[in-house]
Amino acid sequence: MQALTSKRNRLQHFNEVKLLTLGEFLRARREANGLSTRKVEEMCGVSDTFISLLENEKRAASPDTLQKLSRPYGVSYYELLQHGGFLPEHAWLALTLGLLRRQQGQTPEAFADQLGLTIEEWQTVEAGGSIPPKALQLLQDQFGTTTIVDLLKQDRS
């Protein structure tokens, strides 16, 4: 019973989108997907022992390992890079904005205009450059935040 309660607590922690360590995030995602470490090993070739070490913060993951884990864990490679500390917040936000643009079917020019940017400024953002203050202000005005964690919280509420 205590193991089930502990699992629920971790999942609740995950669903509240608190800032999790990479290990906590991986364990919560794996358990949410109903997978054992052995099943993840079968799916991607990363040993179950190494997965356990990652989840318990006893080993660090390389970007290559995170890419292998992204599919079985059901998250984007970029999200794992973010949790692993390989991708700064502004780059993650830029990737999210790029995805939003594509989902909306907007041209780069139209999306740049929506953000109050020139096409050149948008291309810099999309290439992983920093997001200009005027675009951050627009995000703050439209969504009440400029961080991906807060945007995810809004999306899940």
Side-chain angles (χ1 to χ4, degrees), residues 34-103:
L35 299 173
S36 66
T37 56
R38 187 164 306 265
K39 183 63 178 172
V40 173
E41 176 182 14
E42 291 171 12
M43 294 171 76
C44 69
V46 176
S47 80
D48 67 327
T49 302
F50 190 72
I51 292 166
S52 178
L53 290 170
L54 285 175
E55 290 182 359
N56 290 299
E57 306 289 332
K58 302 218 184 275
R59 291 286 186 273
S62 69
D64 288 341
T65 299
L66 294 177
Q67 187 171 24
K68 291 175 186 177
L69 293 172
S70 65
R71 185 166 177 235
Y73 281 85
V75 295
S76 77
Y77 174 50
Y78 298 108
E79 190 167 3
L80 289 180
L81 287 174
Q82 169 80 28
H83 278 280
F86 293 102
L87 192 61
E89 175 75 22
H90 75 272
W92 176 238
L93 189 56
L95 288 165
T96 303
L97 288 171
L99 178 63
L100 180 63
R101 179 193 69 76
R102 288 187 295 282
Q103 284 178 340

Side-chain angles (χ1 to χ4, degrees), residues 96-122 125 131-143 151:
T96 303
L97 288 171
L99 178 63
L100 180 63
R101 179 193 69 76
R102 288 187 295 282
Q103 284 178 340
Q104 291 178 352
Q106 291 190 21
T107 65
E109 294 80 4
F111 196 71
D113 187 56
Q114 181 181 339
L115 290 175
L117 303 175
T118 66
I119 187 61
E120 293 80 15
E121 289 172 321
W122 170 248
V125 168
I131 299 171
K134 60 186 171 186
L136 288 173
Q137 185 59 51
L138 183 68
L139 289 171
Q140 178 68 41
D141 294 344
Q142 282 191 322
F143 299 106
L151 286 172

Side-chain angles (χ1 to χ4, degrees), residues 126-157:
E126 208 168 27
S130 62
I131 299 171
K134 60 186 171 186
L136 288 173
Q137 185 59 51
L138 183 68
L139 289 171
Q140 178 68 41
D141 294 344
Q142 282 191 322
F143 299 106
T145 185
T146 58
T147 69
I148 196 64
V149 171
D150 287 342
L151 286 172
L152 288 172
K153 280 182 187 176
Q154 289 177 14
D155 187 49
R156 292 184 183 174
S157 28

Side-chain angles (χ1 to χ4, degrees), residues 1-10:
M1 184 66 174
Q2 185 175 4
L4 184 58
T5 303
S6 175
K7 181 177 177 179
R8 282 188 186 138
N9 288 343
R10 278 196 300 272

